[in-house]
Amino acid sequence: MTKAELTAHITTTFSGQVTVIENTQPEPYFIVKPEDLVAFARFIHDDSALQLTFLMNLAGADTGERYEVVYNVCSYQLKHRIFFKIQLPHDNPEFDTVIQVWPGANWFEREVWELFGMTVRNHPNLTRFLLEDDWNEGFPLRKGWTGTDFIPLPDRG
Amino acid sequence: MGLIKKLPVYTEHIPGGSLVTTSVNSVLTMAQAKSLWYLLFGTACCAIELMATGASRYDFDRLGMIFRASPRQADIMLVAGTITKKMAPRVKRIYDQMAQPRYVLAMGGCAIGGGPFYYDCYSVLKGVDKIIPVDVFVPGCPPRPEALLQGCLEVGKKIRTLKLDEWS
Ligand code: SF4
């Protein structure tokens, strides 16, 4: 399917609400509501016209105003790819796991939890694996984070 | 006989050969300087340059440097690459497992002081000398194989100056 067909198919067939982000990339990009996340994931995974069965990447982001979790999924069968993201507030960011849809999300979600401090609901094993075992300096990928030997890049003008 | 010429020796020629008198210290330090088996310890991109140095064009083996995958058999640890804070306790532990006398060569900007990860980085140790003693630093990102070879020769020179009771 082309980008326009993918966009039209997803916005018309998915019963929840998705917002389309206009961009010049070859793949369509959507914003999904956090409460619709699992339903949306299940829909694009199972829909016979989409078959987005492979989670290529899942990444957190801190834009300054809010947190985002960006998903990048593709279909080996139909050779297309989409992006979508959810937006979370700065206070008490929580989102649902999508492991039951794409088992590969497991470690990605742990990483997002560990580095951004976003809680992943229903995750089977939310434990630390990237930072040191006795790390207690918070969530280093949050905006404005600093640690004991953290040296910010000097402003060279 | 090339090696003998480099030692402080007293030679007495006898029929069918020679008798050589020399000091244990000089023989031992030379033997060690000429057979520095290195611990394969590549943690990032510098390791690729280390492999290039070990391969046929630069040929580490001609210096008597053969890689060992076990710290028990290694004389020198070539720290080739970024050491993250998570890795740091393991580095220390591997260093402690090496038999004495042991030497450390810090290869590349990362091992010397954090390199490109010095600023704006929460995860990288800013210099491997913060956790283990380093004998020779080889700067570069990554250092050329020639630089690494010279660094290893410098370790050899340092070993040649040691006295037996200084070995540790
Ligand atoms: S010094 Fe440069 S080449 Fe060496 S490990 Fe660091 S980043 Fe890689």
Side-chain angles (χ1 to χ4, degrees):
Chain A
M1 275 199 274
T2 63
K3 179 180 177 183
E5 286 166 349
L6 272 175
T7 313
H9 181 78
I10 289 175
T11 44
T12 51
T13 339
F14 181 61
S15 53
Q17 193 191 351
V18 288
T19 317
V20 182
I21 303 178
E22 298 299 336
N23 62 11
T24 54
Q25 303 298 320
E27 295 90 14
Y29 198 167
F30 306 97
I31 300 177
V32 181
K33 289 184 154 184
E35 55 271 23
D36 291 340
L37 174 65
V38 178
F40 183 76
R42 178 59 68 196
F43 161 72
I44 61 174
H45 180 277
D46 293 349
D47 190 277
S48 59
L50 294 171
Q51 296 186 31
L52 291 158
T53 49
F54 179 52
L55 179 71
M56 300 179 76
N57 195 7
L58 186 168
D62 183 358
T63 64
E65 287 108 50
R66 63 182 82 83
Y67 292 122
E68 295 182 341
V69 187
V70 185
Y71 299 76
N72 171 2
V73 283
C74 86
S75 166
Y76 275 123
Q77 293 86 353
L78 304 177
K79 301 188 175 51
H80 55 218
R81 182 159 86 131
I82 72 162
F83 291 86
F84 65 95
K85 67 181 178 186
I86 55 173
Q87 296 179 324
L88 302 167
H90 257 169
D91 48 314
N92 198 16
E94 279 189 17
F95 63 103
D96 289 303
T97 178
V98 289
I99 290 182
Q100 66 275 34
V101 183
W102 299 291
N106 190 330
W107 281 38
F108 290 130
E109 287 175 346
R110 281 171 73 186
E111 181 189 4
V112 169
W113 168 77
E114 185 173 356
L115 299 181
F116 286 96
M118 306 184 211
T119 314
V120 188
R121 281 189 290 258
N122 303 325
H123 193 288
N125 180 25
L126 213 51
T127 49
R128 186 181 296 297
F129 75 107
L130 283 171
L131 300 167
E132 299 109 283
D133 303 329
D134 55 351
W135 178 269
N136 60 358
E137 298 195 28
F139 305 106
L141 287 191
R142 285 187 173 179
K143 282 263 190 306
W145 176 89
T146 95
T148 40
D149 65 347
F150 181 80
I151 304 171
L153 188 65
D155 186 7
R156 297 212 177 90
Chain B
M1 290 312 269
L3 288 185
I4 294 286
K5 288 205 188 102
K6 292 186 185 160
L7 287 173
V9 290
Y10 170 76
T11 315
E12 174 103 26
H13 291 283
I14 56 170
S18 347
L19 275 178
V20 168
T21 314
T22 182
S23 72
V24 174
N25 192 74
S26 51
V27 171
L28 279 182
T29 50
M30 183 162 86
Q32 178 147 51
K34 300 284 177 194
S35 68
L36 276 177
W37 289 5
Y38 63 98
L39 177 66
L40 194 67
F41 198 78
T43 46
C45 17
C46 269
I48 303 294
E49 208 69 5
L50 173 61
M51 291 170 218
T53 319
S56 48
R57 181 179 283 261
Y58 293 98
D59 196 9
F60 244 170
D61 292 8
R62 71 200 153 94
L63 304 182
M65 301 196 58
I66 298 168
F67 97 76
R68 299 276 101 192
S70 158
R72 302 281 188 207
Q73 301 167 354
D75 303 302
I76 180 169
M77 183 188 221
L78 301 184
V79 184
T82 320
I83 302 296
T84 57
K85 287 181 193 160
K86 177 135 186 168
M87 189 70 184
R90 282 83 176 167
V91 178
K92 175 98 176 56
R93 182 164 176 180
I94 291 172
Y95 175 78
D96 288 342
Q97 285 175 346
M98 286 167 65
Q100 291 174 332
R102 57 196 174 191
Y103 308 94
V104 177
L105 184 146
M107 175 181 181
C110 287
I112 293 175
F117 310 106
Y118 184 76
Y119 291 119
D120 267 357
C121 186
Y122 57 90
S123 60
V124 172
L125 188 75
K126 297 184 171 69
V128 73
D129 55 332
K130 287 198 164 56
I131 46 169
I132 55 177
V134 177
D135 293 284
V136 171
F137 296 91
V138 180
C141 183
R144 294 271 317 161
E146 293 90 335
L148 181 59
L149 287 172
Q150 192 192 353
C152 296
L153 293 175
E154 290 297 327
V155 176
K157 276 191 204 156
K158 177 170 177 176
I159 296 172
R160 296 290 296 272
T161 64
L162 293 181
K163 298 279 170 285
L164 262 189
D165 51 2
E166 290 170 354
W167 280 26
S168 64

